[in-house]
Amino acid sequence: CSSTCTWGGGKDCSLGYVITHTSSRFGKVGPCVSSLIMDCGVFNGCLTDGKGGTLREVTHSTETAESFDPQIHPPALDQSAVAVPVKLESNAPSSGWNDPEKVTPVPMQEHGSVTKPILKRGLSNFSTGSNGSKKSMKSQGSTGSFAGSKGGGGGDKIAKRWSLMLEGGMNTIKNGLQVVLKDDERMVNFDENRAFPGITPTALNHIKGGRPNKIRTTQFTPLTWLPLSLLNQFKRIANIYFLFIACLVVWPWSPKNWKSKIFPFMAVLFWTALKDLYEDIRRKRDDDAENKQRCWRSSSSHPDTFEEVAWSEILVGDIVLVPEDSAFPADLILLHPAGGVEAFISTVMLDGETSLKVRQAPGLCEQMSKKCAKLTPGEWTAVQTTHNTEFPSEHLRQQMGKYVGCMKKPGVEFKFPSPSAVLSDVRGTLQITGNSENDLVCPFTEDNFLPRGCILKNTPFILGLCLYVGDDSKTRLNASTAKLKFSNMQRNLNKCVQGLLVCLFSLCIIATIIAFAAEGSLAAEEEELIDAATNPLIRFFMFCVTFYHVVPMSLYVIYEMLKLVLAFQVNTDAQMYDPVREIYAQARTAEVMEEAGQVNFLFSDKTGTLTANEMVFARCHCADGDMGEFRKNADGSRGDGMEMVRNLLSSGKTSDVQYQDLLNLFTCLAVCHSVQVIKKDDGELSFSAMSPDEVALVEASHNAGISFVQRIRKSAGNTSDVLLRGPGTVDRKFTILHELAFNSDRKRMSVVAKHKGSIWIITKGADSVMEGLLRNPFTDKCAYDLNKFSKQGLRTLIVGMRSIDQTEFDTWNAEYTAARNLIDETKEAKMAEIGARLERDLKFVGITAVEDRLQDGVPEAISTLKEAGIRVWVLTGDKTETAVDIARSCKLFTESTNMSYATGATGAKDAEDKLLKAHSQLDGKADTGLVLDGQTVLHALESPECRKIIYDLGILSRSCICSRLSPMQKLELVKLVRQQNPLAITLAIGDGANDVPMIQGAHVGVAIRGKEGTQAVQASDIAISYFRFVVPLLLCHGRKAYRRVALFLSFYLYKNVVLLMSDVIWMFIDKFRARIAFPEYLSVGFNVLYSAWHILFVLGFDRDISDALAVARPALYKVGPSRSLFNLKVFFRWIFFGLAQGAIAFSVPYAMIGTKEYNKKEPGQFWICSTVIFTGINLIVCIKLLMYCESPLKLTSTLSTAGAGLCFIICVFLLGHWSVGIDFQPSMEGVPADTYKSGKNWGVIAITTAAALALDVIWLGVGYFAFPSELSLAKRGK
């Protein structure tokens, strides 16, 4: 400004003049500038055209102390341009980092002492004409003025009107920029003329009966429960078949009474419906528990106070007050945190990450907080840090009520898009409306967002605005049920059922054709056949009813119950008990239990899965040399490397080159991170972060003598002050201007830091990306140490830095800040692109090497898994050298392993050549190992030929290590195996969120309860605490589950074929009349009471060998991967035995005591013979199950079998000697007593049973002595 003008005194300041100053120039400016500096602090800026147009850069020449005239580009600007403030701190530059700077740490919630850029500007500068259009920002003079004219009382207007203090720079506030969202945008508007906020669209708060925040996860209502449950049940083909039979039995020509079929079918359907209802009631209980939680909401009737309401009463636009350790009732935008600086939240229930997240209020909200603080400074300050036992206190409610009042006057408008399930997709604008069309606009992002259900931590309270409620919240949008997994045994069962149904209908068709062959029906003259039976279609239906039990109703019910028993045994196994967490393994999905006994390929993450994820700083390369051992010695003393570094840094020899290099390295480690620090009661510092690597690096710096002691967040923007202490007693402050976060694509992290006037970019990352960002290539010594560290299995990072001049930073900062303020889908990509522009031409600082020790028992576990015939693939993001060394440490590769590498491919053709070369090297050799890297995998996945070669290599090699993989590449390798061999069973195991795709993509997903959150556990089928627990999980529980389920399926189908065979033989004897061979109510209990429920006890608790022996003999597991216990051959063998033994069970008794005298309603010799046959069938199937199980003499086997036999006897006598039973089955009256009092009948039963089971005795005897299985040899100790 002109040195002659006066602030607010009648002289106009020229529009577009933005002040930049340093304290050394204070005395050389006019009163206008001095006044601005005194009131507003330091700022720099850019210009906009007021219509969202391109920013015009405003620079200030610092070549001479006297020059304050800004250079405006382009020079031609209309009078409507306005200034956008950008922060610029004024500190004298420093030549190095070793200069001491007196810094006094302050409490975390305080702002610190750094001067902040502030601009006061009255809204009265914008006036409106009679037509409502905006006039130019002028007063009486010819140019625009910050204050207005003297005659117009501009100074009074500023004093009377609401004024805004802008902090945080252009990354926070855009003056005059109208941000336009999509057509489906939403809006919440506050103004002093309405009690309720205005909501657009208005229907947002009218859904669910005016309770949009009410959560409902139930599937049914009282009216829809039964219809929907039945609809879901009839999606299973077996139930459709049973419905078909139920429709047939109601006709008069049905050979079986409708009650005997419809009632059991209805019972099965109703039982399943009750199970669905029970699960829905549990969901309803959980919903009510959440909906009835209480929170404090700004009262609509008394906006200066708050009322307690249920979560379900929350609406869009409500302002809520949330105390510490409480959950957020909806998706909120943070308006005010206690202390006014920042709030900490735990998002572990949303994204699985255990570290606390920092959230800040948008810039405009911070200014409203300051406005409220000025109204009653003492009371406002008092409520910011107090923790009242009764929340909220009366004073707190009053002060937060004043904040709500400040929002309504002059008016605030929030614009935001429709909800998105993407957690990081948070964008919108906050606008001060007032009376001007050229209002102030501030974007809000994820940094200002508080998701529903997340917990407020380390912050006394927050004030938030509800944007998304109920089903629109992130939590609900991400609560979709994971894709259901079906085991291969379930698919095989479905195929078997389909095959049996095809055979059944074929048999009925053949029987119908035979019945009507030649000159007509063979039974046409029989009186028992009604007229309708002469119709071929009716006769076909009659046969369908007669033979329907070939697929029993109870099959799927007993199958699911058996798997629940198997899952329960996993959940209670002491072998997999974690004494540290005091928790057992958890089978989250019982569906895949038998899959765990058939695993062909095991895909494992490395970090946190094979290793303990306990990082220890091991070594470092600095000053062109290896500094030695940093890990503690066996006696607990410091390693020689740590001792040397401590001594050198404490010496203060600033002229020593090695001192400077070490100072730079450990200062970089203490500055470039996202670690949080807490000072414990004993004075020790405790570090925490999302990544244990970062904690290890910061702790190493602390142990070396350079301690990160405090992080002070600024009250606006994204900056923070990092306070360091050391070497010695020197305190230093670094202002973190920007943090460029690590991700799997960037593989590096950077911070832009300011120290004593100098700006630095500090970067640490993987050598694969850092080498291209360094000023000079690695020296030979550096490359040697890097390779040496990798071969030792250490995780390495390259550290680099460079100084940035102010001009470069200003240009970059403007672009990066603009990208960060984007509210569309290009934001992340644009930020990554612009962020990478600073990370170049870096000076090499050093190499860090961190050890991640193996978990206990990992080498033994992998060796056992390989002996069990499982191919183990380790998929990691580490360097190839590190991964190979870890593979040797955990016995994935041994000294005798024939290794082959396919790494470093530059294209698809090169990848194919390398894979073919590896194939030729491994073909025909034993104990082989394969090494792949992400670059080769990337190119190979593009080619179908290469995909086939990778799978062939996986078959040739017993183990494989894949390095430098992204999470999606891990998933693609799992998919590759599944696609190349649909019969192969895959298991994926990991501990972090980056392993979730792989875990969900495998047949069996196993999660390690690690230190990287709970996302892996939430996505898994089975959760365990340590990798070594995989051995008992697979070799004990998986192996037994596969054997038990295989025997169950074979036996359950077999026993119904036995019963069916009797019906078929009787059909021929009875000349295809389609009459039943057994009392129908007796046969109803066959698949429920006599030969079904006891299977749960016989097989569910069947035990072949001890778990210790199963682990000691891994070869026993091989029957699973080879599918030896349930395949087409095994299925047909059981069906053949069923046909043969069914024929014996019917033919022998019928030949000895049978008769053709048949009366469906009167007792007689036929029904006595029928009862003898049925008794024999029950004995045959029950004894056979004991013969094939591994522990027939166990109490669970003998007692349950005896119980099943007792059920049969009871049912028989109830039907024959109880009036109700006789009413249901008249033909059974007196039959039981007549049957079982005859010694001849008992002899027939014994002969029949012995004859039928003789086949099994021969089969099992030959197998035991001539062809013993591995299990048989193990049981005999051979």
Side-chain angles (χ1 to χ4, degrees), residues 302-321:
H302 299 88
D304 57 342
T305 187
F306 285 77
E307 59 183 355
E308 191 176 20
V309 298
W311 278 24
S312 58
E313 303 297 327
I314 295 297
L315 305 174
V316 176
D318 280 348
I319 296 177
V320 295
L321 191 59

PDB file of all heavy atoms in Angstrom, residues 302-321:
ATOM      1  N   HIS A 302     -35.210 -24.646  22.322  1.00  0.00           N
ATOM      2  CA  HIS A 302     -34.297 -23.764  23.053  1.00  0.00           C
ATOM      3  C   HIS A 302     -32.897 -23.966  22.480  1.00  0.00           C
ATOM      4  O   HIS A 302     -32.113 -24.772  22.983  1.00  0.00           O
ATOM      5  CB  HIS A 302     -34.297 -24.082  24.551  1.00  0.00           C
ATOM      6  CG  HIS A 302     -35.636 -23.899  25.188  1.00  0.00           C
ATOM      7  ND1 HIS A 302     -36.584 -24.920  25.232  1.00  0.00           N
ATOM      8  CD2 HIS A 302     -36.205 -22.820  25.785  1.00  0.00           C
ATOM      9  CE1 HIS A 302     -37.665 -24.482  25.847  1.00  0.00           C
ATOM     10  NE2 HIS A 302     -37.467 -23.198  26.195  1.00  0.00           N
ATOM     11  N   PRO A 303     -32.581 -23.294  21.364  1.00  0.00           N
ATOM     12  CA  PRO A 303     -31.324 -23.554  20.658  1.00  0.00           C
ATOM     13  C   PRO A 303     -30.077 -23.244  21.465  1.00  0.00           C
ATOM     14  O   PRO A 303     -28.981 -23.610  21.065  1.00  0.00           O
ATOM     15  CB  PRO A 303     -31.420 -22.635  19.424  1.00  0.00           C
ATOM     16  CG  PRO A 303     -32.409 -21.581  19.808  1.00  0.00           C
ATOM     17  CD  PRO A 303     -33.381 -22.243  20.728  1.00  0.00           C
ATOM     18  N   ASP A 304     -30.249 -22.550  22.612  1.00  0.00           N
ATOM     19  CA  ASP A 304     -29.084 -22.235  23.413  1.00  0.00           C
ATOM     20  C   ASP A 304     -28.765 -23.334  24.424  1.00  0.00           C
ATOM     21  O   ASP A 304     -27.927 -23.152  25.303  1.00  0.00           O
ATOM     22  CB  ASP A 304     -29.292 -20.910  24.153  1.00  0.00           C
ATOM     23  CG  ASP A 304     -30.544 -20.931  25.031  1.00  0.00           C
ATOM     24  OD1 ASP A 304     -31.404 -21.803  24.799  1.00  0.00           O
ATOM     25  OD2 ASP A 304     -30.638 -20.077  25.934  1.00  0.00           O
ATOM     26  N   THR A 305     -29.423 -24.470  24.318  1.00  0.00           N
ATOM     27  CA  THR A 305     -29.134 -25.581  25.221  1.00  0.00           C
ATOM     28  C   THR A 305     -29.256 -26.883  24.453  1.00  0.00           C
ATOM     29  O   THR A 305     -29.555 -26.893  23.246  1.00  0.00           O
ATOM     30  CB  THR A 305     -30.082 -25.570  26.430  1.00  0.00           C
ATOM     31  OG1 THR A 305     -29.655 -26.575  27.347  1.00  0.00           O
ATOM     32  CG2 THR A 305     -31.510 -25.867  25.993  1.00  0.00           C
ATOM     33  N   PHE A 306     -29.031 -28.011  25.163  1.00  0.00           N
ATOM     34  CA  PHE A 306     -29.039 -29.326  24.520  1.00  0.00           C
ATOM     35  C   PHE A 306     -29.973 -30.258  25.283  1.00  0.00           C
ATOM     36  O   PHE A 306     -30.153 -30.135  26.494  1.00  0.00           O
ATOM     37  CB  PHE A 306     -27.622 -29.922  24.502  1.00  0.00           C
ATOM     38  CG  PHE A 306     -26.719 -29.283  23.486  1.00  0.00           C
ATOM     39  CD1 PHE A 306     -26.148 -28.038  23.730  1.00  0.00           C
ATOM     40  CD2 PHE A 306     -26.448 -29.896  22.284  1.00  0.00           C
ATOM     41  CE1 PHE A 306     -25.322 -27.435  22.803  1.00  0.00           C
ATOM     42  CE2 PHE A 306     -25.622 -29.311  21.341  1.00  0.00           C
ATOM     43  CZ  PHE A 306     -25.061 -28.071  21.605  1.00  0.00           C
ATOM     44  N   GLU A 307     -30.556 -31.209  24.551  1.00  0.00           N
ATOM     45  CA  GLU A 307     -31.455 -32.184  25.138  1.00  0.00           C
ATOM     46  C   GLU A 307     -30.946 -33.588  24.836  1.00  0.00           C
ATOM     47  O   GLU A 307     -30.298 -33.817  23.816  1.00  0.00           O
ATOM     48  CB  GLU A 307     -32.868 -32.011  24.571  1.00  0.00           C
ATOM     49  CG  GLU A 307     -32.933 -32.180  23.049  1.00  0.00           C
ATOM     50  CD  GLU A 307     -34.328 -31.932  22.486  1.00  0.00           C
ATOM     51  OE1 GLU A 307     -35.241 -31.723  23.290  1.00  0.00           O
ATOM     52  OE2 GLU A 307     -34.473 -31.948  21.253  1.00  0.00           O
ATOM     53  N   GLU A 308     -31.219 -34.509  25.724  1.00  0.00           N
ATOM     54  CA  GLU A 308     -30.779 -35.888  25.548  1.00  0.00           C
ATOM     55  C   GLU A 308     -31.844 -36.672  24.791  1.00  0.00           C
ATOM     56  O   GLU A 308     -33.011 -36.681  25.185  1.00  0.00           O
ATOM     57  CB  GLU A 308     -30.495 -36.543  26.899  1.00  0.00           C
ATOM     58  CG  GLU A 308     -29.794 -37.887  26.767  1.00  0.00           C
ATOM     59  CD  GLU A 308     -29.421 -38.483  28.113  1.00  0.00           C
ATOM     60  OE1 GLU A 308     -30.020 -38.064  29.131  1.00  0.00           O
ATOM     61  OE2 GLU A 308     -28.550 -39.368  28.148  1.00  0.00           O
ATOM     62  N   VAL A 309     -31.445 -37.310  23.720  1.00  0.00           N
ATOM     63  CA  VAL A 309     -32.374 -38.071  22.886  1.00  0.00           C
ATOM     64  C   VAL A 309     -31.734 -39.398  22.513  1.00  0.00           C
ATOM     65  O   VAL A 309     -30.530 -39.603  22.660  1.00  0.00           O
ATOM     66  CB  VAL A 309     -32.754 -37.298  21.605  1.00  0.00           C
ATOM     67  CG1 VAL A 309     -33.476 -36.003  21.940  1.00  0.00           C
ATOM     68  CG2 VAL A 309     -31.514 -37.030  20.756  1.00  0.00           C
ATOM     69  N   ALA A 310     -32.556 -40.322  22.003  1.00  0.00           N
ATOM     70  CA  ALA A 310     -32.049 -41.597  21.484  1.00  0.00           C
ATOM     71  C   ALA A 310     -31.420 -41.379  20.118  1.00  0.00           C
ATOM     72  O   ALA A 310     -31.767 -40.448  19.387  1.00  0.00           O
ATOM     73  CB  ALA A 310     -33.183 -42.616  21.401  1.00  0.00           C
ATOM     74  N   TRP A 311     -30.497 -42.271  19.771  1.00  0.00           N
ATOM     75  CA  TRP A 311     -29.861 -42.167  18.447  1.00  0.00           C
ATOM     76  C   TRP A 311     -30.887 -42.191  17.336  1.00  0.00           C
ATOM     77  O   TRP A 311     -30.710 -41.522  16.315  1.00  0.00           O
ATOM     78  CB  TRP A 311     -28.881 -43.336  18.273  1.00  0.00           C
ATOM     79  CG  TRP A 311     -27.547 -43.117  18.910  1.00  0.00           C
ATOM     80  CD1 TRP A 311     -27.261 -42.272  19.952  1.00  0.00           C
ATOM     81  CD2 TRP A 311     -26.317 -43.748  18.544  1.00  0.00           C
ATOM     82  NE1 TRP A 311     -25.932 -42.354  20.268  1.00  0.00           N
ATOM     83  CE2 TRP A 311     -25.327 -43.251  19.418  1.00  0.00           C
ATOM     84  CE3 TRP A 311     -25.967 -44.683  17.604  1.00  0.00           C
ATOM     85  CZ2 TRP A 311     -23.994 -43.669  19.347  1.00  0.00           C
ATOM     86  CZ3 TRP A 311     -24.648 -45.112  17.531  1.00  0.00           C
ATOM     87  CH2 TRP A 311     -23.670 -44.604  18.390  1.00  0.00           C
ATOM     88  N   SER A 312     -31.922 -42.962  17.507  1.00  0.00           N
ATOM     89  CA  SER A 312     -32.918 -43.095  16.449  1.00  0.00           C
ATOM     90  C   SER A 312     -33.667 -41.796  16.185  1.00  0.00           C
ATOM     91  O   SER A 312     -34.321 -41.657  15.151  1.00  0.00           O
ATOM     92  CB  SER A 312     -33.919 -44.196  16.802  1.00  0.00           C
ATOM     93  OG  SER A 312     -34.561 -43.909  18.033  1.00  0.00           O
ATOM     94  N   GLU A 313     -33.576 -40.832  17.101  1.00  0.00           N
ATOM     95  CA  GLU A 313     -34.271 -39.560  16.937  1.00  0.00           C
ATOM     96  C   GLU A 313     -33.437 -38.518  16.199  1.00  0.00           C
ATOM     97  O   GLU A 313     -33.921 -37.428  15.899  1.00  0.00           O
ATOM     98  CB  GLU A 313     -34.659 -38.997  18.315  1.00  0.00           C
ATOM     99  CG  GLU A 313     -35.518 -39.918  19.156  1.00  0.00           C
ATOM    100  CD  GLU A 313     -36.851 -40.200  18.506  1.00  0.00           C
ATOM    101  OE1 GLU A 313     -37.371 -39.311  17.820  1.00  0.00           O
ATOM    102  OE2 GLU A 313     -37.378 -41.315  18.687  1.00  0.00           O
ATOM    103  N   ILE A 314     -32.177 -38.845  15.920  1.00  0.00           N
ATOM    104  CA  ILE A 314     -31.287 -37.888  15.255  1.00  0.00           C
ATOM    105  C   ILE A 314     -31.716 -37.687  13.803  1.00  0.00           C
ATOM    106  O   ILE A 314     -32.055 -38.638  13.098  1.00  0.00           O
ATOM    107  CB  ILE A 314     -29.834 -38.383  15.328  1.00  0.00           C
ATOM    108  CG1 ILE A 314     -29.353 -38.414  16.783  1.00  0.00           C
ATOM    109  CG2 ILE A 314     -28.916 -37.506  14.496  1.00  0.00           C
ATOM    110  CD1 ILE A 314     -29.319 -37.066  17.451  1.00  0.00           C
ATOM    111  N   LEU A 315     -31.656 -36.420  13.361  1.00  0.00           N
ATOM    112  CA  LEU A 315     -32.029 -36.066  11.995  1.00  0.00           C
ATOM    113  C   LEU A 315     -30.846 -35.428  11.282  1.00  0.00           C
ATOM    114  O   LEU A 315     -29.875 -34.989  11.914  1.00  0.00           O
ATOM    115  CB  LEU A 315     -33.200 -35.069  12.014  1.00  0.00           C
ATOM    116  CG  LEU A 315     -34.460 -35.480  12.775  1.00  0.00           C
ATOM    117  CD1 LEU A 315     -35.441 -34.322  12.803  1.00  0.00           C
ATOM    118  CD2 LEU A 315     -35.091 -36.709  12.139  1.00  0.00           C
ATOM    119  N   VAL A 316     -30.934 -35.381   9.970  1.00  0.00           N
ATOM    120  CA  VAL A 316     -29.947 -34.638   9.185  1.00  0.00           C
ATOM    121  C   VAL A 316     -30.034 -33.166   9.584  1.00  0.00           C
ATOM    122  O   VAL A 316     -31.125 -32.591   9.650  1.00  0.00           O
ATOM    123  CB  VAL A 316     -30.209 -34.791   7.676  1.00  0.00           C
ATOM    124  CG1 VAL A 316     -29.234 -33.933   6.876  1.00  0.00           C
ATOM    125  CG2 VAL A 316     -30.098 -36.248   7.265  1.00  0.00           C
ATOM    126  N   GLY A 317     -28.901 -32.559   9.859  1.00  0.00           N
ATOM    127  CA  GLY A 317     -28.864 -31.151  10.246  1.00  0.00           C
ATOM    128  C   GLY A 317     -28.823 -30.930  11.745  1.00  0.00           C
ATOM    129  O   GLY A 317     -28.653 -29.790  12.193  1.00  0.00           O
ATOM    130  N   ASP A 318     -28.978 -32.011  12.541  1.00  0.00           N
ATOM    131  CA  ASP A 318     -28.883 -31.850  13.993  1.00  0.00           C
ATOM    132  C   ASP A 318     -27.443 -31.582  14.403  1.00  0.00           C
ATOM    133  O   ASP A 318     -26.497 -32.101  13.789  1.00  0.00           O
ATOM    134  CB  ASP A 318     -29.374 -33.115  14.697  1.00  0.00           C
ATOM    135  CG  ASP A 318     -30.887 -33.176  14.781  1.00  0.00           C
ATOM    136  OD1 ASP A 318     -31.522 -32.140  14.511  1.00  0.00           O
ATOM    137  OD2 ASP A 318     -31.430 -34.245  15.104  1.00  0.00           O
ATOM    138  N   ILE A 319     -27.288 -30.801  15.449  1.00  0.00           N
ATOM    139  CA  ILE A 319     -25.979 -30.537  16.039  1.00  0.00           C
ATOM    140  C   ILE A 319     -25.920 -31.321  17.349  1.00  0.00           C
ATOM    141  O   ILE A 319     -26.787 -31.185  18.211  1.00  0.00           O
ATOM    142  CB  ILE A 319     -25.761 -29.039  16.290  1.00  0.00           C
ATOM    143  CG1 ILE A 319     -25.745 -28.296  14.952  1.00  0.00           C
ATOM    144  CG2 ILE A 319     -24.462 -28.793  17.039  1.00  0.00           C
ATOM    145  CD1 ILE A 319     -25.609 -26.801  15.076  1.00  0.00           C
ATOM    146  N   VAL A 320     -24.908 -32.180  17.484  1.00  0.00           N
ATOM    147  CA  VAL A 320     -24.814 -33.061  18.640  1.00  0.00           C
ATOM    148  C   VAL A 320     -23.543 -32.778  19.422  1.00  0.00           C
ATOM    149  O   VAL A 320     -22.528 -32.311  18.871  1.00  0.00           O
ATOM    150  CB  VAL A 320     -24.844 -34.548  18.216  1.00  0.00           C
ATOM    151  CG1 VAL A 320     -26.182 -34.897  17.595  1.00  0.00           C
ATOM    152  CG2 VAL A 320     -23.716 -34.863  17.241  1.00  0.00           C
ATOM    153  N   LEU A 321     -23.610 -33.080  20.705  1.00  0.00           N
ATOM    154  CA  LEU A 321     -22.496 -32.903  21.634  1.00  0.00           C
ATOM    155  C   LEU A 321     -22.100 -34.289  22.110  1.00  0.00           C
ATOM    156  O   LEU A 321     -22.903 -35.000  22.724  1.00  0.00           O
ATOM    157  CB  LEU A 321     -22.945 -32.022  22.803  1.00  0.00           C
ATOM    158  CG  LEU A 321     -21.884 -31.500  23.770  1.00  0.00           C
ATOM    159  CD1 LEU A 321     -20.840 -30.668  23.040  1.00  0.00           C
ATOM    160  CD2 LEU A 321     -22.545 -30.668  24.868  1.00  0.00           C
TER     161      LEU A 321
END
